[in-house]
Structure formats: C-alpha cells, structure tokens
Amino acid sequence: QLLVKNALQYLNALAAESSGDPTLQRELATAYEKVGDVQGGFRSGSLGDTAGALDSFRKALAIRESLLEPRPDDPDLLGETARNHSKVGDVLVRMGQPGDAVAHSRTALQLADRLIAVKPDDPKARFMAIASQVDLGGNLAEAGRWQEGLAHCRLGVELAQVEARAHPEEKRMQRALALVYGRVAWILTEG
C-alpha cells in the first residue's frame, strides 16, 4: 500500500509536468494502469482497492484518449485505449455498476474494430476484438440484459472458433475459446 501511495504521488506530480510530451504521457498512462492493476485489477492479485483502481484506470484512460484524438489510426494507442476501457468496465461491474460498464465495453469493442481495420492481419487485434465482444456480452448479462449479452458472447464464440481453427498453434486463442465457452455457459445457466 505504501508503494502504491508513493507511486501515485510521483505519477501525479509527473502528470502535471507532462503536457506537450506524448512519449511521457504514454508512459504515464501505462504506469497509472499498472498501479490500477495492483490496487484492484480484476485479472490478477491486487490490494482489493477497487475505488483506487478505478481512479487510476480513469487517469490512464483520460491520457490515452487525449493522445488518440489527434492520431485516431495509431494501432498501439487503439489497443491500449481499448484495453483501458475494458479494465474500467471490469472494475465498474465489481462495484455494482454494470450499466456504466456496458458503455465502456461498447467503446472497447468499437476501438478493437478500428484496430482490426488498421491491422487486419494482426492476431493480437483479432484477439482483442474477440475479448471485447465477450466482455460486452458479460457486462450486458450482468446488467440483466441476458439475451443481448448471450448474442454478443455467441458472436465471440464464432470469431474465436475461426481463429482457433486457422491458428491451432496459438495457445492464447485456444485458451480464449475455452473462456468464451465458459462465459456462454454462465449466461445460459444464470439467465
């Protein structure tokens, strides 16, 4: 906790001085995101500070969105911003705000689709599109919109199956397909 507190103080001071330096701002966004993961990230061990994580993820997101605005086709920024929206959505679901999470998931999916348009042959871009589709489906289900969530997850299954068949050597895609099946099963049993 002390390490996170000190890191945030340092990042906040650095953020005040970083305007006009896109490279530094990008590094700041990455640092805020990593601190958010430690505070209350969803897919890793954390301190359980979801409110702190949300604040850090939102700071990272604000920086990335300002960087993306003048460079809307930058593939790295598209991917980073989409991932950031997904993380904000994850935290909002855990905080009991699935409706707000849906908005972030929709934006993440739109950014992932833009990334595929820029880099259609990039397996990471296709993976992000699948993950974003499934995140949106799960968040819709969490918000009580089961059928709409199921439709998005099923589309994620279709996309993941195509990718898994086309690239059987990609273990990441095989794991993604298993996770997508699990999400569909959860919606079918809960909804």
Side-chain angles (χ1 to χ4, degrees):
Q1 287 177 341
L2 182 60
L3 181 63
V4 167
K5 179 182 173 187
N6 290 338
L8 285 172
Q9 286 175 346
Y10 174 74
L11 292 175
N12 291 337
L14 195 57
E17 302 170 10
S18 72
S19 66
D21 185 346
T23 302
L24 179 56
Q25 288 177 321
R26 200 158 175 185
E27 290 175 13
L28 270 170
T30 299
Y32 274 123
E33 183 179 346
K34 289 180 186 289
V35 169
D37 287 337
V38 171
Q39 288 172 296
F42 178 64
R43 293 178 174 97
S44 62
S46 72
L47 296 173
D49 178 10
T50 52
L54 183 60
D55 186 53
S56 293
F57 289 151
R58 282 184 169 158
K59 286 178 181 177
L61 184 57
I63 293 168
R64 287 184 171 134
E65 286 180 333
S66 72
L67 292 171
L68 186 61
E69 190 174 319
R71 299 172 59 195
D73 293 329
D74 182 306
D76 293 329
L77 283 172
L78 284 167
E80 291 164 5
T81 307
R83 184 185 64 233
N84 211 158
H85 273 286
S86 292
K87 288 185 178 191
V88 169
D90 289 342
V91 172
L92 288 169
V93 164
R94 284 188 310 175
M95 295 177 80
Q97 301 172 35
D100 293 336
V102 166
H104 284 280
S105 296
R106 282 195 196 283
T107 302
L109 180 56
Q110 291 166 352
L111 292 168
D113 287 344
R114 283 174 45 196
L115 178 58
I116 285 186
V118 172
K119 293 182 82 172
D121 297 327
D122 185 358
K124 289 180 183 178
R126 292 191 304 272
F127 178 84
M128 180 165 285
I130 293 166
S132 297
Q133 192 72 247
V134 174
D135 280 348
L136 176 57
N139 289 344
L140 285 163
E142 289 281 353
R145 296 159 61 184
W146 298 98
Q147 292 304 314
E148 191 179 353
L150 182 60
H152 280 280
C153 284
R154 283 187 169 154
L155 181 55
V157 166
E158 291 172 22
L159 296 170
Q161 286 172 333
V162 168
E163 288 299 316
R165 279 193 294 271
H167 305 284
E169 74 286 356
E170 286 284 334
K171 299 300 179 200
R172 182 178 184 184
M173 196 56 72
Q174 302 297 326
R175 281 192 304 273
L177 183 57
L179 292 171
V180 173
Y181 284 139
R183 185 66 62 98
V184 169
W186 170 75
I187 291 175
L188 289 171
T189 58
E190 295 295 318

